[in-house]
Amino acid sequence: MRRLLFIGLTTLALGAGVRAEPAMWTVHGTKGTVYLVSSLHLLPKDTPWRSAAVGRAMQAADSFVFEVPTGVSEHDEETKFIYANGLLPAGETLSAKLDDDGKRDWRRALDLAGVEAVNLDQKQPWLAEVVLTVQAMYRRNYSAQHTPEGEAHDFAARNARDIRYLDTTRQQLEFLEGCDPGNGIDQFRSVLADFPNQAAREERFVAAWQAGDLDTSAALVAAGLKDLPDEQKRLDARNHDWAKQIAAMLAEDRTFFVAVGIAHLVGP
């Protein structure tokens, strides 16, 4: 489920006659206004999602707010974090922790993602899962540039708008790392076994996002977190923190365009 929540999602063209209309909320405060826009982190170039409402919100915004920065200094911070927290102890390998069925699923997942075993075998399970998922999506020609987040960030930069972030790079990495209790090998085995089903399940999720179908989106998120109570608590805590930050923005005399993943915006 972490693939659905924290990494990008694949997509599926909607059937004829279905209008692409991702969910967006308008929130008014004592001084400010927030356009809260649902997004996905990776999409193919031809994904239909642009709506008149999102376009108007982008034009009206003074400030743009995203989940996490992705600049050069953040990349350096990411690299340092991975060396400190994303590698197995010397002499240990992921493949050695797998039984025969796990090794079979491991080889199949590597083939689907187009990744060499040597590039993953010394990574912690949480990091190996992230790399496998993202590389599989890149192999299917997905990009962060053609999402609501990506296009809004480019628009804000081109037009010298104020840009802010809800998390630091380190906070996001700590969040991902903390979703694996212990060494996370049991969850990693489950991820490997389920890897061939990833695209179809994500297509159902993304079709709901494109249509602005909040009930279906919420049901899919809830189903994925049903057996992961600790992960649900961490997601809830993150959402409460973001909500406080956004509430504070409403006291400013500005209009904000806030784009975050749809999984943060549905459910109780």
Side-chain angles (χ1 to χ4, degrees):
M1 184 59 192
R2 188 192 303 113
R3 295 197 302 274
L4 294 181
L5 295 177
F6 314 122
I7 312 300
L9 301 178
T10 60
T11 191
L12 174 71
L14 294 174
V18 179
R19 183 176 61 178
E21 194 77 31
M24 185 184 84
W25 294 260
T26 304
V27 188
H28 299 290
T30 55
K31 293 184 178 180
T33 296
V34 165
Y35 295 111
L36 187 57
V37 180
S38 66
S39 186
L40 298 176
H41 303 315
L42 293 175
L43 290 172
K45 296 179 181 180
D46 58 352
T47 303
W49 62 261
R50 297 160 190 82
S51 68
V54 172
R56 287 192 297 269
M58 200 179 298
Q59 291 290 338
D62 305 304
S63 296
F64 287 74
V65 184
F66 307 101
E67 292 190 21
V68 65
T70 56
V72 174
S73 62
E74 287 77 26
H75 178 73
D76 291 343
E77 176 71 14
E78 179 182 283
T79 300
K80 292 176 184 176
F81 185 92
I82 287 172
Y83 274 110
N85 303 280
L87 303 179
L88 292 168
E92 293 188 18
T93 62
L94 265 179
S95 55
K97 298 176 183 291
L98 301 171
D99 58 17
D100 289 343
D101 288 342
K103 286 182 171 64
R104 177 203 62 208
D105 296 338
W106 160 259
R107 291 189 294 270
R108 181 176 60 189
L110 290 170
D111 287 342
L112 289 170
V115 176
E116 296 290 336
V118 67
N119 294 326
L120 283 188
D121 218 9
Q122 291 185 314
K123 289 179 170 58
Q124 291 282 356
W126 70 269
L127 182 57
E129 179 185 344
V130 169
V131 173
L132 274 173
T133 302
V134 172
Q135 289 302 317
M137 297 175 72
Y138 286 165
R139 201 178 196 195
R140 297 195 297 269
N141 199 32
Y142 293 93
S143 167
Q145 294 180 347
H146 305 284
T147 66
E149 289 168 294
E151 293 197 4
H153 199 286
D154 288 346
F155 175 88
R158 287 196 313 269
N159 292 279
R161 304 290 174 86
D162 176 47
I163 298 177
R164 308 183 189 184
Y165 303 97
L166 296 167
D167 273 354
T168 65
T169 298
R170 186 173 186 86
Q171 283 175 313
Q172 187 180 65
L173 289 166
E174 288 175 343
F175 182 73
L176 288 173
E177 179 195 24
C179 289
D180 275 335
N183 65 9
I185 194 64
D186 290 338
Q187 184 167 318
F188 186 63
R189 288 193 189 102
S190 298
V191 168
L192 293 176
D194 186 60
F195 208 74
N197 302 319
Q198 172 184 317
R201 183 178 56 253
E202 290 170 351
E203 285 171 355
R204 293 194 297 271
F205 192 101
V206 177
W209 168 76
Q210 283 180 288
D213 183 348
L214 300 180
D215 289 340
T216 299
S217 297
L220 290 168
V221 172
L225 290 171
K226 180 179 62 175
D227 299 321
L228 299 170
D230 290 339
E231 196 160 322
Q232 178 71 71
K233 289 178 182 177
R234 290 174 60 80
L235 179 63
D236 290 345
R238 195 181 192 202
N239 289 342
H240 280 293
D241 175 64
W242 289 2
K244 290 178 181 178
Q245 293 185 56
I246 293 169
M249 294 172 198
L250 291 168
E252 297 184 45
D253 188 15
R254 302 180 71 84
T255 298
F256 293 87
F257 184 102
V258 181
V260 298
I262 182 63
H264 296 285
L265 299 172
V266 295

